[in-house]
Amino acid sequence: FNITFADVEGNLGWQTTGRLPIRNYGNGTVPVDANRHPDTWTGWVPYEETPRQYGSPKDWIGNANHNTVKKDYPYYYSSYFSPYYRYQRLKELMALPGKKTVEDHWRYQRDDLNVFARRIAPILVKTLLSNPETEEMAHILQKWDYHDRIDSVATSIFQAIYRHLAKLTYEDELGSDLAATMLDTWYFWQERLETMIVEGNSPWFDVVSTSAKQETLTDLIQLAAAKAKDELSGQLGSDINSWTWGKVHQINNPNPLRRKGFGKDWLGGGSRPMGGSGETLYRSLYGFNKPDDIKYTAAMRMVADLSDEEKVVAVM
């Protein structure tokens, strides 16, 4: 975890918390046989060498659970980081001219522009335009402004195609159970799949069960689009204009006294449409294997005006 701070002298910084082991063997991503490697940890990373920054060259500092450790860092830190998408969007917003107000910061926390989709959707469009069955979906993606709004049809189409594309890429090699486990942990694979899609060529795109043909990214996009079309039409009907994001992307806030089972709905809560996605600052990450269930969002959003201690706006 990173604690981000500003001090009374105007310095900005962040500091990792906790203690980091120095590993003699392995890097902590998988279990190690203690009989073969009994001295796995040789000590702790000295506090003064833990990842940190004090005194920012910019006039702002931020973090989105992404990798903040430089490549030349001498110790293993972690391999479990959020993709860079949210931090990239934060950089774009903070680069806008003018002094940022409390209202700006509040709006940024609810920003729903998807920089990942901005990079990947044009690649999907190019393939989908070549097939009459997916041409209408392509035109909707072409006109998209990449904002994951509740009323966006393009967001539903993009997320459904992308999810099926990821499953088609990995499931044949890993098997359904292992693929489902891996894909449900987005941090492990999302940036890597993005790189593969942008490069357009990877051994993972070949379906190993079809020995007579070597499938390409184009083949998998077409297959994923067909599955997405069947899924969305089955859920929401044949009218493509009714496939809005808020209908398939909802959040449930149950009462803590009765989170599930009989009587849960009597205590309030219930599902509500929500914008954003796992790639936006307005974060609403769905479970890969349960795409209609938002699994993660911000527990609290808060903006404090440090020039007036009475001015704090927050929502749980």
Side-chain angles (χ1 to χ4, degrees):
F1 294 107
N2 297 317
I3 299 298
T4 306
F5 62 87
D7 66 24
V8 293
E9 296 175 353
N11 296 301
L12 305 174
W14 58 264
Q15 170 69 56
T16 50
T17 63
R19 293 194 293 175
L20 301 173
I22 300 174
R23 299 178 186 273
N24 190 40
Y25 178 84
N27 59 17
T29 54
V30 295
V32 172
D33 185 343
N35 292 319
R36 293 178 57 199
H37 307 283
D39 298 322
T40 306
W41 292 7
T42 61
W44 302 100
V45 175
Y47 176 77
E48 60 273 11
E49 295 182 47
T50 54
R52 63 176 67 196
Q53 179 180 319
Y54 183 68
S56 174
K58 306 185 294 290
D59 59 357
W60 66 275
I61 196 166
N63 185 277
N65 296 340
H66 64 293
N67 186 7
T68 59
V69 180
K70 295 181 179 179
K71 290 182 179 180
D72 60 357
Y73 187 64
Y75 306 104
Y76 173 78
Y77 177 58
S78 180
S79 58
Y80 187 74
F81 298 106
S82 175
Y84 69 89
Y85 316 129
R86 290 181 294 140
Y87 187 66
Q88 174 63 34
R89 179 56 179 162
L90 180 59
K91 290 197 294 184
E92 293 175 1
L93 291 170
M94 296 304 290
L96 296 173
K99 184 177 180 180
K100 307 299 184 292
T101 65
V102 169
E103 289 73 24
D104 289 330
H105 283 289
W106 190 249
R107 190 173 70 253
Y108 295 167
Q109 291 202 40
R110 298 178 68 87
D111 183 87
D112 56 15
L113 189 135
N114 189 330
V115 299
F116 168 71
R118 189 173 62 193
R119 193 174 189 206
I120 298 300
I123 298 173
L124 303 183
V125 168
K126 187 176 180 181
T127 298
L128 300 181
L129 282 172
S130 64
N131 185 342
E133 292 294 317
T134 57
E135 193 174 1
E136 188 175 13
M137 298 166 76
H139 287 310
I140 290 174
L141 288 177
Q142 261 186 327
K143 298 173 183 176
W144 188 23
D145 61 3
Y146 308 113
H147 283 274
D148 292 335
R149 300 188 182 96
I150 287 173
D151 61 354
S152 170
V153 173
T155 302
S156 300
I157 292 172
F158 174 79
Q159 291 285 348
I161 293 176
Y162 173 65
R163 182 166 37 83
H164 284 292
L165 177 59
K167 193 172 181 179
L168 288 166
T169 299
Y170 294 114
E171 191 173 64
D172 59 313
E173 283 92 351
L174 300 181
S176 57
D177 290 343
L178 182 56
T181 299
M182 185 196 77
L183 290 168
D184 208 38
T185 305
W186 298 75
Y187 287 10
F188 287 155
W189 59 271
Q190 196 172 14
E191 278 192 32
R192 181 66 193 137
L193 181 58
E194 175 199 3
T195 301
M196 289 158 51
I197 293 171
V198 171
E199 291 176 349
N201 185 31
S202 170
W204 287 93
F205 294 143
D206 180 37
V207 180
V208 295
S209 60
T210 57
S211 56
K213 180 184 178 183
Q214 184 170 350
E215 284 79 9
T216 65
L217 174 61
T218 298
D219 295 324
L220 260 61
I221 290 174
Q222 290 287 7
L223 282 169
K227 289 178 178 292
K229 186 176 182 180
D230 289 343
E231 176 183 280
L232 291 169
S233 59
Q235 284 181 282
L236 304 174
S238 59
D239 180 8
I240 196 170
N241 295 309
S242 70
W243 297 354
T244 54
W245 185 226
K247 291 180 180 177
V248 293
H249 189 68
Q250 302 199 350
I251 190 166
N252 188 296
N253 293 308
N255 192 302
L257 296 177
R258 185 67 173 170
R259 299 189 66 84
K260 58 185 177 179
F262 178 75
K264 174 176 72 74
D265 294 336
W266 296 352
L267 296 174
S271 294
R272 299 286 185 275
M274 184 174 179
S277 66
E279 294 82 40
T280 62
L281 288 172
Y282 190 45
R283 197 176 190 214
S284 52
L285 176 64
Y286 58 82
F288 188 92
N289 300 308
K290 291 184 176 180
D292 56 347
D293 180 27
I294 295 175
K295 198 172 180 180
Y296 298 107
T297 188
M300 183 179 75
R301 298 183 181 277
M302 184 182 83
V303 178
D305 183 345
L306 298 184
S307 67
D308 184 342
E309 62 186 22
E310 297 299 320
K311 288 184 179 176
V312 175
V313 58
V315 61
M316 296 292 288

